[in-house]
Amino acid sequence: MAASRYTVSDVMTHTAVAIGREASYKEIVELMHQWKVSAVPVLEGEGRVVGVVSEADLLPKEEFRQDDPKLPGQLEEASKADAVLAEGLMSSPAVTVHPDATLAEAARIMARRRVKRLPVVNDLGMLEGVVSRSDLLKVFLRPDEEIDEEIRSAVVAELSPPVRVEFSVLDGVVTLQGPLQDRALVPLLARAIRAVEGVVDVRMELV
């Protein structure tokens, strides 16, 4: 049972705002405000991603405007307070993701590295787009009818031996209904249905 898997390339923003190493602090703030983004990749050469400047990289200039760092861990942040160009502000190397990564993989990277946006790069490190948290949530906009059709064609139809399973989809929640003689199929079915992008939950009303 293999449901289709969305990848980062399916949901990412292909036209991404980016900057060079020499971009000024004010220019970066203006770009973020204009494009309503929380981070911008830093490029060099033909478009290779060498770093990212995020809101967190810009805030030390305000944080340490009057106070000096008091903890050892604040020294790196304080150094960014004096930076005026992207090369001094950026976090490097950049945390990136490949376009063929699954949405789950991208979500794990964001969670572990505590970032809201990821530059999407090819095997050469060249920028292809940007994926954000909101992009990853786009799959939950799939119509119930589309989810229903995928479950029927990619999950139920692949059961061997064939099993008749009744189910319904409402607001992304899949409810399995009616009789199911082989109870061993229950966890297998639930796991396969949860793998369908856009499924919010799986509920069992089996007899």
Side-chain angles (χ1 to χ4, degrees):
M1 289 182 283
S4 66
R5 301 176 74 187
Y6 278 54
T7 64
V8 167
S9 62
D10 294 318
V11 299
M12 72 182 190
T13 301
H14 291 267
T15 304
V17 57
I19 57 176
R21 287 180 177 269
E22 301 302 312
S24 69
Y25 185 100
K26 188 167 184 177
E27 179 185 352
I28 298 169
V29 174
E30 289 174 343
L31 277 173
M32 286 184 176
H33 178 73
Q34 177 185 349
W35 291 88
K36 293 180 174 56
V37 295
S38 58
V40 288
V42 182
L43 310 182
E44 70 176 9
E46 298 298 317
R48 186 169 63 89
V49 178
V50 294
V52 171
V53 177
S54 68
E55 292 170 337
D57 296 316
L58 299 173
L59 281 176
K61 191 170 290 294
E62 184 64 30
E63 180 182 357
F64 298 107
R65 182 178 298 279
Q66 295 178 323
D67 298 326
D68 293 327
K70 295 180 174 60
L71 299 174
Q74 293 180 322
L75 293 177
E76 182 179 352
E77 292 183 13
S79 69
K80 292 187 178 184
D82 296 326
V84 294
L85 299 179
E87 61 182 358
L89 293 161
M90 69 183 184
S91 297
S92 182
V95 181
T96 62
V97 69
H98 284 196
D100 58 354
T102 66
L103 303 192
E105 289 169 339
R108 279 194 292 270
I109 294 173
M110 287 184 184
R112 289 172 182 169
R113 302 304 293 270
R114 297 181 181 179
V115 295
K116 300 176 182 179
R117 297 165 61 82
L118 292 170
V120 183
V121 300
N122 61 19
D123 291 337
L124 299 177
M126 309 294 280
L127 184 67
E128 294 196 354
V130 171
V131 65
S132 67
R133 290 175 177 176
S134 61
D135 291 329
L136 298 183
L137 295 175
K138 288 178 181 177
V139 291
F140 293 105
L141 298 176
R142 295 183 73 189
D144 289 337
E145 295 78 13
E146 188 176 312
I147 295 172
D148 183 294
E149 176 57 32
E150 182 168 340
I151 293 173
R152 293 184 189 280
S153 60
V155 178
V156 177
E158 296 298 317
L159 288 173
S160 182
V163 175
R164 182 179 178 182
V165 179
E166 297 296 331
F167 68 91
S168 60
V169 185
L170 180 62
D171 293 334
V173 176
V174 181
T175 302
L176 293 173
Q177 302 163 315
L180 185 63
Q181 291 183 340
D182 190 351
R183 302 295 291 183
L185 281 176
V186 172
L188 181 65
L189 266 174
R191 192 179 310 115
I193 291 172
R194 283 195 177 95
V196 174
E197 299 289 2
V199 171
V200 175
D201 192 18
V202 180
R203 296 175 181 174
M204 303 294 181
E205 294 182 1
L206 299 170
V207 296

